[in-house]
Amino acid sequence: MLIRKTYAKGAKRLLYISMKVATFFIVGLLVHIVFFISIFDIYFTSPLVHGMTPQHVPLPPPAKRLVLFVADGLRADTFYKPDVNDTIRAPFLRAIMEEKGTWGISHTHVPTESRPGHVALIAGFYEDVSAVAKGWKENPVEFDSVFNESRHTWCWGSPDILPMFAKGASGDHVYTHTYPAESEDFASEDASKLDSWVFDEVKAFFNSAKGNENLLSKLHEEKNVFFLHLLGIDTNGHAHRPMSKEYLENIVLVDTGVSEIVSLVEDFFGNDGQTAFIFTSDHGMTDWGSHGAGHASETLTPLVAWGAGIQTAQRATTHLYQDQHQKEWNLGTLRRVDVNQVKMTQKKETTLSFFFTPYPVLTEEKQEEFLQHAKSLIHRGLYDEAILLCVEMITQALEGLSYYHTYDRFFLGCSVVLGFVGWTSYVVLVILKTHASLRKPPGNRQLMSNEGLGRVFLCMGLAILAFLLVQASPWTYYIYCLLPVPVWHAVFKEIGTLLDLIKSAPSLPLCKCFGYFVLVTFGIELLVVSFFYRAMLSLGLLLLSLWPLLSGLHIKATTRSLTWALSCLCLAVFPLMPVVGRESNIHLVTCAAALTLFNTISYLVSSRRLSPLPRKDRQLFICQMVHVGLCAYVLTSTHASLQQKQGLPLFNQLVSWTTLVVSFFVPLLSSTRLFQRLMSILLSLVSTYLLLSTGYEALFPPMLSWLMFVWINMEQEAMSAGTLSKTELFRIDFSENIDITKIRQLKLDDIRRSYFFVFFIITAFFGTGNIASINSFDPASVYCFLTVFNPFVMGGLMMWKVLIPFVIVMCTFETIQVSTQLSSRSLFLIVLVISDLMALHFFFLVKDYGSWLDIGTSISHYVIVMSMTIFLMILSIMTHVLTSRRVFVGKKMKVHFK
């Protein structure tokens, strides 16, 4: 009876602890989601101002109609520069530049994607990057455009670009004509057919208008726009690279098509001289066929303008630009006029006042003074001075917009930082209270009763609430400003733990604690710097290779220490290499498959002595090995087929998608013994990774997994108790229930284990690329799965490719938690503190001034670290299932979990 009561109390206590842990993680997840979303409210709010009165110029426009040609993905150098035989690729447009038009370089803006580029060209502003959440296809905010202000606009081209302007237009005066989305196939024999379709449709349109009185009358009205979106060059650049025969021949086809359309339009309107023509591009393309970042090949695009209201070609004896482009392009004698797709001034402004403070430079009195001064100058005929005054006023107005746009940024930033510091402090106190062996001296450890403390923080919350109500703040402000109140209330409730730490200080190894503090601080700074310079990860791996030497492990585990050092040095090579996607090398992918098979065979041979495999598990491993070889063959044959312009073989596509699906379930069929399950997971993940690889990055998962296997063994050597031998490590079963009596308290060495985990997670992310390589990935990476352009599916596949190294590291961390007899919660809390400290670093490093690339990169760093914190919470559950669950399929096809 006594035993039953004791067991019941223990069960209730265990249930209570489980519920408390679940509550902690749910609250932590919600807190981090709030911190994550806050960055969008603080930095990603739209700069557009709505409700303004439209302004019109009273003077008549020089042109009645505009014909806009946008050659998607066309680089300036490829367009302007003659070939090796000094042959001009675009003779018609070259003649325009030399005789009756103006030319220059249009400087685009990061992100160099199709939708932001077209929004900049047609709407006149750099679009909010939140449009990426809709695949650059939908309007995140309403905005005005040239099309919307026109009387009629006719568009021909891609279904990814045209509908977004028609949807945002008021009325039904924007008409779009698009080809099917399936036509945008990277594996097509000739993508220039997309541009031929556009030219043919425009010709058919004008021919049909001759017999349609209603359409004919619309065409002869003023303020008409004709927009031709030419996607063939971009598609050929992705599929064959910008220096390929297909890309260059597509430029010739476009030049011929533009010549025909110009002649057609001029003849249709009787050569009335009332048509303006513009030829340009939305973005360029790198040598390896991608775009999205800020390389010169992506941001420099051609611009040729001619017709009504446009200055004709002029000779130039001096050059305004210091680059060598004109000399390289044989255009040194022609006047060049460069433009920005959009020219906006952004300036960092903050305010310390909690009450409204108008922009001091443009008060109502100063605005009235400016108007009177400008009218006076115009009345006296001082037009140049009036223009300079207006330019100054425009600059001040833009600065004023930035002032109001960032008005609440300092206030919100302080609230978020206060919540950040409070949450991190609370997690540290939880670690000390529940997982550290602190002496708890007798006596009252509370500075104030819980009821009194609650009243104080309740009054603070009500004061903040009243302030926000008076200010009529948005509802999100209530979340950011009120969140620190309960967080710091929880911190002060645990203040007794901090007092215990202070009283226990004399008994602690202070020198060792200080040493760990210095090393972890240096390590966190190294990780922060690695976000800007990938080579720092190589330095970190070089330092990690010295760990056995510094800790003394090399004395009792010489072979493993040498293996650890060698695996660290091998992995350190990857961050020093260029980002993935620049040059395809399928032979390296085949080598990665061979290396994976060699490692698996080596494991099977070595396991026969320590832990013989059951027949079913051995058969599963053999099937997975054959599957790895099949994936290598599928990748090779797919790229060979595409090079021969035979398209994506159906068999290869079926194998690829089947591999992706079954990779989540096949490991569940293997034994839950430690190394057997890890090897099965590795084979499944590598199979998918091979299909998504184009070069050296395929070697990264095998090398990373080698280091992870060595890390598992090294942690066993580092265990001071030495309770598990090498043979017993093979006998660990993930599915066995953890003996609570064997769970130990945290030690200082566990801080090192947690830091190693964070370091390997960052290495898994940046090991073969960086932010730019994700934004401007090579579509060739997904050719085994699909070749028709689909941003969401392609993006999802690339994200899974990024996550595969994450899963490998996470499974290793799960293994170390089990093998070192440590609570997963305790190690994870340390990881949470480290990642939150990194996130706080990046919050202060966020920029709201300078180029978009600088601003976007700094924000992306914060988003990545915050996403990592949230992601690791979810991924830990996934990896626990992946390692500890097993599916048994019997003769009666019954499936159950062990």
Side-chain angles (χ1 to χ4, degrees), residues 495-508:
I495 199 69
T497 304
L498 181 61
L499 298 177
D500 290 344
L501 177 64
I502 296 174
K503 294 176 181 178
S504 302
S507 63
L508 298 175

Side-chain angles (χ1 to χ4, degrees), residues 414-438:
C414 290
S415 299
V416 172
V417 169
L418 195 63
F420 239 126
V421 175
W423 168 257
T424 306
S425 303
Y426 176 71
V427 174
V428 172
L429 292 175
V430 169
I431 294 173
L432 293 173
K433 179 181 179 180
T434 60
H435 300 285
S437 302
L438 293 179

Side-chain angles (χ1 to χ4, degrees), residues 45-54 125 139-144 168 401:
T45 52
S46 174
L48 297 184
V49 179
H50 294 84
M52 299 175 67
T53 303
F125 70 96
N139 302 339
V141 292
E142 294 183 1
F143 60 86
D144 202 2
L401 285 175

Side-chain angles (χ1 to χ4, degrees), residues 21-37 423 427 483 828 832 836 866-877:
V21 170
T23 303
F24 176 84
F25 276 99
I26 292 173
V27 171
L29 184 62
L30 292 176
V31 167
H32 282 84
I33 289 175
V34 171
F35 291 157
F36 177 82
I37 296 176
W423 168 257
V427 174
L483 181 62
F828 191 80
L832 195 61
D836 280 349
M866 287 303 300
S867 301
M868 183 182 73
T869 304
I870 300 171
F871 167 71
L872 291 180
M873 291 181 177
I874 301 172
L875 191 60
S876 62
I877 301 173

Side-chain angles (χ1 to χ4, degrees), residues 508-519 747-749:
L508 298 175
L510 296 181
C511 292
K512 191 174 181 180
C513 292
F514 180 75
Y516 267 93
F517 174 78
V518 172
L519 289 176
K747 299 180 181 179
L748 284 174
D749 211 28

